[in-house]
Amino acid sequence: MAVVVRFVDKLGAIRESFIGIVHVKDTASTTLKQAIDDLLASKQLSIKQVRGQGYDGASNMRGEFNGLKALILKDNPSAHYIHCFAHQLQLVILVVAKKHAVSASCKRKDMLREEKKARVEKEILEGENKTGKGLNQEVSLARAGDTRWGSYHRTIISLLRLFPEVVTVLQYVKVDEDCSQQRINAKGILSYFKKLEFVFYMHLMGDILSYTNALSKHLQEKGKDLLEAANLINGTKGALNDLR
């Protein structure tokens, strides 16, 4: 289990510090709670000092009665729980990619393809798009894998490229889909798409994942020595810091 703390230093600046990786025998909430208590104690910190806690949406983490969130709140009611923002964005992307844009529906896939084709043709006629070898290739929404960051990067990039077409398909689902739950889901996603925070998160995560995806690919290459790997990691950290 990796543990990171965010705190305010003596100058009032917000800091984040990775304080350690702890081996846990299982992922039960009680095991995780004890590991966190022990790690904080080893750093001369206390769970009583915590004012916030954030994890993904797994039941062992956010469970109302026996989750890690609940166990910490029993010791410290001031440790307010916040669902991890990055994980929330992942869930939004998964909903879009799996349920509304790249599902098994051939009709939706054809609609996405035809809308994209019509937009490219219009842009070429109006001089807003260039033609040539390798340009204007057919694009589809990449299917995101729940545990692979690289797949999320591809999904975000393809969603940015196909955003107008995705909106058109969602509008179709909102009105004409036979399943009422899918109509409700489409309406909710369309509403979220209009918010500034969605646009901000989408572009920010696109930038972040482009750096981490490139680093991941480099680190998986054969023949990388430790010094080169360390330089790549430091370079990526510097690029991410520049986004702040």
Side-chain angles (χ1 to χ4, degrees):
M1 176 175 61
V3 181
V4 177
V5 295
R6 170 178 282 191
F7 59 96
V8 179
D9 65 16
K10 294 180 180 179
L11 298 177
I14 298 175
R15 306 289 187 185
E16 281 191 352
S17 179
F18 168 72
I19 63 173
I21 295 180
V22 183
H23 174 72
V24 288
K25 63 181 180 180
D26 55 57
T27 56
S29 56
T30 52
T31 303
L32 300 178
K33 170 65 164 53
Q34 186 61 54
I36 290 175
D37 284 340
D38 293 344
L39 179 60
L40 292 178
S42 71
K43 305 294 183 181
Q44 297 182 325
L45 299 171
S46 168
I47 204 74
K48 298 292 185 182
Q49 297 172 280
V50 175
R51 293 296 176 266
Q53 50 177 320
Y55 325 104
D56 62 22
S59 59
N60 64 325
M61 309 301 280
R62 66 169 183 170
E64 292 296 326
F65 301 103
N66 298 313
L68 178 59
K69 171 194 75 173
L71 296 180
I72 291 179
L73 284 172
K74 287 179 182 178
D75 287 351
N76 179 7
S78 298
H80 302 288
Y81 170 73
I82 299 174
H83 192 150
C84 171
F85 286 132
H87 189 254
Q88 285 181 331
L89 178 60
Q90 291 182 40
L91 295 177
V92 171
I93 294 171
L94 279 176
V95 169
V96 173
K98 289 185 175 181
K99 291 188 177 181
H100 298 290
V102 290
S103 67
S105 171
C106 293
K107 186 175 183 179
R108 295 180 199 171
K109 290 182 179 179
D110 289 341
M111 184 184 300
L112 197 67
R113 186 180 297 110
E114 290 302 317
E115 288 290 330
K116 171 64 175 177
K117 179 182 177 182
R119 178 161 66 91
V120 170
E121 290 176 349
K122 181 176 181 293
E123 290 174 351
I124 291 174
L125 290 173
E126 294 177 353
E128 297 179 2
N129 205 335
K130 296 181 179 179
T131 59
K133 185 176 181 181
L135 299 177
N136 304 315
Q137 297 294 310
E138 184 175 294
V139 180
S140 62
L141 276 178
R143 185 178 296 275
D146 292 359
T147 59
R148 301 183 69 86
W149 278 102
S151 70
Y152 284 99
H153 177 245
R154 292 191 296 274
T155 298
I156 288 177
I157 297 303
S158 59
L159 180 54
L160 287 171
R161 291 176 178 174
L162 291 170
F163 190 78
E165 290 73 38
V166 171
V167 170
T168 298
V169 174
L170 286 172
Q171 288 171 337
Y172 162 78
V173 174
K174 173 185 172 183
V175 176
D176 295 331
E177 180 60 47
D178 293 334
C179 176
S180 61
Q181 186 57 53
Q182 290 198 0
R183 290 199 302 271
I184 294 172
N185 290 343
K187 182 179 180 181
I189 294 174
L190 282 169
S191 176
Y192 187 54
F193 273 7
K194 296 178 181 179
K195 294 183 178 180
L196 177 61
E197 63 182 85
F198 169 78
V199 178
F200 174 78
Y201 287 151
M202 181 62 64
H203 285 276
L204 177 63
M205 290 303 296
D207 290 340
I208 291 173
L209 292 179
S210 66
Y211 287 123
T212 56
N213 187 54
L215 175 63
S216 176
K217 289 182 177 179
H218 282 302
L219 293 179
Q220 293 180 60
E221 292 178 359
K222 294 181 179 179
K224 293 287 184 185
D225 57 40
L226 290 178
L227 180 59
E228 187 177 3
N231 289 334
L232 287 169
I233 292 171
N234 288 332
T236 302
K237 288 169 62 179
L240 293 174
N241 283 329
D242 290 339
L243 294 175
R244 299 174 64 178

